[in-house]
């Protein structure tokens, strides 16, 4: 979902990923009328068949026929919109999603804010030339993010996304201000830690919030705004950091500026809505109905409430989920997929490629690190725009598979350019092409889809904790990549390490083929009942 390291932060090793086959009874068809869908294959991977009982919820206007997870009514409605004019069904939810995406802008800004100024910071605070301390200033951000992700699940279950967003702006604002006025190494470290803590909470919150307030039809496109926000934050920090090359104190202004989006987020959330699903879960039915009416239309109120109640217990126990439940079916499967997707995402080498890209560009005469970074940022942004257009049209699974295949081919192209004797200019051009193609294909699929699909396949009861677990896995892998990448390159060379990244990308494509369920065009409740037939027994 994310590009989660600074460009100057080194990035890491390929780790073996053990993929275990899910329990067959997790998806056993049961009860009433059900459809069964299977991921069939002509290849000898019979152990990876997935079947799911899917409870079709009633529709007042059309009967939906699911074909490969795509509703025929979605196709019909698309034709109607083409005939009837411009579709703006996404518009009521957009302001709320935009405010939430300010968190991703902050995330991207803090990724890039130390990219250039770290040398000036180290010189002014007295630890210049000490790579361990410079690395600590960068990596303490990830430690804070890990702790924030772990804690976020319990907080959001109790007080909801909107209030959690507002409380979370406290460490974001304080961290930025402490870092900006720091006169010692300790103060910078504490400031970066607090910022990381806030970013870790928001990394979990934003996908949950967007998935729960967005209309089903536009959930993917609105969810892609997370990636766009991150890209814009990175680009903004890189542009704002250009004067730091000539002004040794410019970094303080950059960090003071980082507090501004935090204030905007806190204020904006005062006018944003809470998740109607959370409101229903805590028994605030009238508030839930009001939110549904304002976001999705009056005609959707009764149907949506009925759907929510079909997967939510009435005794309040859904507010008290435990971490140990992630070891039980069906929650264990969602946690497994979430953790595995982030492991594969990080060890496919996105952060390493971003770090090493500046050196690749230097080989072809792009000596300005700022120019190289802007080129990477624009490519990343272009890919995110592609995801915004494609994710609700092509579906999550197709986009994820295609993205990882593109990343694998791109990596192998770079390895080919490095390994085989080619004309100097041709080799450099192939390296540039492979690097930019890798970043673009990541931003189209592996970046946005990973964070989006995990809350979609998680149950209402454990969504916060599954997201917290998945993102904590993300931060651990991010840290390991940052710690060992340069050491591995020095020991084995660039080509073998990049070849491993390419191999991991291809492995991720295989994983997505056999484990990821298509969620396009399906409500969160339909998905939950598909993956957990036991929820059907709660139907009113």
């Amino acid at each position: 979902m994310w590009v989660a390291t600074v460009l100057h932060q080194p990035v890491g090793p390929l780790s073996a990923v053990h993929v275990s086959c899910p329990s067959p009874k997790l998806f056993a068809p049961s009860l009433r009328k059900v459809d069964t869908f299977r991921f069939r294959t002509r290849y000898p991977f019979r152990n990876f068949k997935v079947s799911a009982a899917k409870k079709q919820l009633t529709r007042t206007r059309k009967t939906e026929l699911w074909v490969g997870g795509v509703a025929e009514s979605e196709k019909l409605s698309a034709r109607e919109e083409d005939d009837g004019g411009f579709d703006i069904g996404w518009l009521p939810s957009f302001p709320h999603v935009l405010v939430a995406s300010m968190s991703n802008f902050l995330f991207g800004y803090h990724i890039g804010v130390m990219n250039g100024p770290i040398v000036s910071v180290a010189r002014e605070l007295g630890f210049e030339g000490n790579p361990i301390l410079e690395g600590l200033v960068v990596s303490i951000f990830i430690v804070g993010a890990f702790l924030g992700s772990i804690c976020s699940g319990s907080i959001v279950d109790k007080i909801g996304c909107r209030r959690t967003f507002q409380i979370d702006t406290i460490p974001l604002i304080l961290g930025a201000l402490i870092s900006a006025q720091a006169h010692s190494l300790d103060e910078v470290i504490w400031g970066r830690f607090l910022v990381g803590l806030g970013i870790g909470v928001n990394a979990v919150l934003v996908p949950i919030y967007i998935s729960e307030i967005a209309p089903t039809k536009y959930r993917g496109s609105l969810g892609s705004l997370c990636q766009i926000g991150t890209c814009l934050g990175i680009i903004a920090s890189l542009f704002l950091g250009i004067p730091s090359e000539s002004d040794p104190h410019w970094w303080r202004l950059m960090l003071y500026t980082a507090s501004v989006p935090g204030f905007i987020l806190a204020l904006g959330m005062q006018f944003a809505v809470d998740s109607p699903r959370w409101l229903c879960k805590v028994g605030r039915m009238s508030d839930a109905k009001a939110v549904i009416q304002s976001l999705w239309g009056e005609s959707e109120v009764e149907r949506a409430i009925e759907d929510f109640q079909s997967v939510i217990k009435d005794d309040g126990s859904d507010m008290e989920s435990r971490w140990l439940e992630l070891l039980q079916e069906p929650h264990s499967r969602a946690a497994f997929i979430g953790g595995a997707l982030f492991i594969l995402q990080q060890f496919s080498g996105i952060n390493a490629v971003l770090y090493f890209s500046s050196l690749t560009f230097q080989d072809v005469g792009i000596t300005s690190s700022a120019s190289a970074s802007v080129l990477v940022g624009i490519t990343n942004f272009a890919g995110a725009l592609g995801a915004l257009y494609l994710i609700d049209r092509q579906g999550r699974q197709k986009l994820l598979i295609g993205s990882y295949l593109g990343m694998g081919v791109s990596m192998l192209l770079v390895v080919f350019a490095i390994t085989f004797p080619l004309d100097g200019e041709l080799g450099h051009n192939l390296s540039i092409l492979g690097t930019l193609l890798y970043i673009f294909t990541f931003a189209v699929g592996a970046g946005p889809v990973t964070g989006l699909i995990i809350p979609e396949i998680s149950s209402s009861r454990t969504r916060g904790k599954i997201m917290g677990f998945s993102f904590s896995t993300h931060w651990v892998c991010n840290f390991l990549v940052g710690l060992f990448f340069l050491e591995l390159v020095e020991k084995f060379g660039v080509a073998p390490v990049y070849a491993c990244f390419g191999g991991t990308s291809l492995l991720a494509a295989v994983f997505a083929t056999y484990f990821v369920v298509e969620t396009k065009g399906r409500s969160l409740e339909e998905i939950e009942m598909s993956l957990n037939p036991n929820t059907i027994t709660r139907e009113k």
Side-chain angles (χ1 to χ4, degrees):
M1 162 181 178
W2 326 85
V3 178
T5 189
V6 307
L7 303 185
H8 272 297
Q9 180 185 342
V11 203
L14 175 65
S15 173
V17 179
H18 174 67
V19 178
S20 58
C21 184
S23 171
K25 66 181 180 180
L26 176 59
F27 295 100
S30 68
L31 304 176
R32 303 197 182 185
K33 289 179 64 178
V34 296
D35 294 331
T36 300
F37 63 88
R38 293 179 180 271
F39 294 99
R40 298 189 182 277
T41 175
R42 293 172 293 178
Y43 305 96
F45 290 90
R46 300 300 180 190
N47 292 347
F48 292 96
K49 272 185 189 174
V50 178
S51 63
K54 181 175 65 63
K55 171 73 169 60
Q56 289 184 324
L57 303 181
T58 59
R59 292 291 186 267
T60 57
R61 296 178 57 197
K62 308 180 188 73
T63 300
E64 293 182 342
L65 299 175
W66 291 93
V67 181
V70 181
E72 288 296 323
S73 67
E74 293 294 328
K75 300 177 183 178
L76 292 173
S77 62
R79 295 191 201 108
E80 291 171 1
E81 286 153 13
D82 290 340
D83 296 337
F86 185 64
D87 179 16
I88 57 171
W90 51 271
L91 191 57
S93 301
F94 181 75
H96 309 277
V97 172
L98 190 63
V99 172
S101 297
M102 183 61 67
S103 299
N104 294 90
F105 180 87
L106 262 174
F107 176 46
Y109 188 88
H110 282 290
I111 286 173
V113 74
M114 283 294 181
N115 183 42
I118 184 63
V119 175
S120 299
V121 175
R123 182 180 300 118
E124 185 171 342
L125 300 185
F127 57 94
E128 184 181 12
N130 189 327
I132 294 178
L133 294 181
E134 290 181 5
L136 181 62
V137 170
V138 170
S139 60
I140 196 66
F141 174 89
I142 298 176
V143 176
F146 170 81
L147 295 176
S149 294
I150 286 290
C151 297
S152 59
S154 299
I155 299 173
V156 73
D157 283 344
K158 292 179 180 177
I159 65 174
C161 289
R162 191 167 73 96
R163 292 303 179 199
T164 306
F165 269 121
Q166 291 183 310
I167 293 173
D168 189 52
T169 59
I170 296 173
L172 288 170
I173 294 170
L174 284 180
L177 295 178
I178 290 172
S179 301
Q181 61 81 46
H183 295 285
S184 68
L185 174 63
D186 291 342
E187 290 178 334
V188 169
I189 289 176
W190 272 111
R192 292 287 290 171
F193 173 80
L194 287 174
V195 167
L197 191 67
I199 291 298
V201 174
N202 278 347
V204 173
L205 272 180
V206 177
I208 293 177
Y209 182 72
I210 294 177
S211 69
E212 293 194 350
I213 71 165
T216 297
K217 183 178 177 182
Y218 311 100
R219 193 173 59 234
S221 296
L222 291 174
S224 299
L225 291 177
C226 296
Q227 183 75 8
I228 291 177
T230 303
C231 294
L232 291 176
I234 293 174
I235 293 172
S237 67
L238 293 175
F239 272 111
L240 191 59
I242 292 175
S244 66
E245 297 179 359
S246 57
D247 185 349
H249 304 294
W250 185 258
W251 63 273
R252 293 188 183 275
L253 178 61
M254 293 180 66
L255 290 172
Y256 277 123
T257 303
S259 66
V260 175
F263 286 108
I264 296 174
L265 179 61
L267 179 62
M269 273 296 155
Q270 189 62 33
F271 301 97
V273 298
D274 247 320
S275 161
R277 291 173 168 93
W278 180 80
L279 291 170
C280 188
K281 189 160 63 172
V282 298
R284 294 166 55 182
M285 290 298 178
S286 59
D287 291 338
K289 291 179 180 179
V291 170
I292 295 168
Q293 181 175 343
S294 66
L295 296 182
W296 306 342
E298 186 174 356
S299 62
E300 293 292 311
V301 174
E302 295 303 323
R303 183 196 62 81
I305 293 295
E306 181 183 346
D307 290 357
F308 296 168
Q309 291 178 332
S310 68
V311 296
I312 294 175
K313 292 182 179 179
D314 297 328
D315 57 6
S317 60
D318 273 349
M319 303 300 299
E320 302 173 359
S321 62
R322 295 173 291 108
W323 281 102
L324 289 178
E325 291 182 45
L326 270 59
L327 301 177
Q328 303 169 0
E329 297 179 354
H331 315 302
S332 58
R333 174 172 171 80
F336 163 73
I337 292 175
L341 283 176
F342 271 124
I343 289 173
L344 291 167
Q345 183 201 66
Q346 290 302 301
F347 287 118
S348 66
I350 179 60
N351 296 310
V353 172
L354 287 172
Y355 168 77
F356 206 71
S357 63
S358 60
L359 300 182
T360 303
F361 295 150
Q362 285 178 10
D363 290 339
V364 295
I366 303 178
T367 56
S368 170
S369 60
S371 300
S373 297
V374 168
L375 181 60
V376 169
I378 292 174
T379 303
N380 201 11
F381 181 67
L385 290 178
L388 181 70
Y389 178 79
L390 293 172
I391 196 165
D392 279 325
R393 290 172 171 81
Q394 298 300 317
R396 283 62 153 161
Q397 189 188 36
K398 283 184 181 179
L399 214 55
L400 201 58
I401 294 170
S403 174
Y404 276 119
L405 288 175
M407 291 165 65
V409 171
S410 302
M411 279 289 89
L412 296 179
L413 180 63
V414 176
V415 170
F416 176 81
I418 294 173
T419 304
F420 294 95
L422 300 171
D423 176 73
E425 185 175 351
L426 175 61
H428 292 326
N429 290 337
L430 284 178
S431 296
I432 289 290
L433 176 64
T435 300
L436 294 180
L437 184 61
Y438 175 91
I439 294 168
F440 179 83
T441 52
F442 168 84
V444 167
V449 173
T450 303
L452 173 66
I453 201 169
I454 298 171
E456 291 183 329
I457 64 174
S458 303
S459 69
S460 175
R461 176 178 174 82
T462 58
R463 186 168 291 130
K465 288 184 171 59
I466 288 174
M467 286 293 288
F469 164 77
S470 300
F471 268 96
S472 64
T473 304
H474 167 278
W475 295 117
V476 169
C477 295
N478 189 314
F479 180 78
L480 292 175
V481 166
L483 187 62
F484 291 112
F485 171 66
L486 287 183
E487 183 178 344
L488 288 172
V489 168
E490 183 177 348
K491 185 174 182 179
F492 298 106
V494 175
V497 175
Y498 271 30
C500 289
F501 290 157
T504 304
S505 298
L506 297 178
L507 176 62
V510 174
F511 181 88
T513 301
Y514 295 107
F515 283 91
V516 173
V517 178
E518 182 55 68
T519 57
K520 167 192 166 186
R522 307 177 68 187
S523 72
L524 298 183
E525 289 68 40
E526 288 173 322
I527 298 167
E528 180 171 349
M529 287 189 290
S530 297
L531 303 183
N532 181 15
N534 292 330
T535 58
I536 300 175
T537 62
R538 302 183 203 157
E539 186 184 9
K540 302 295 182 186

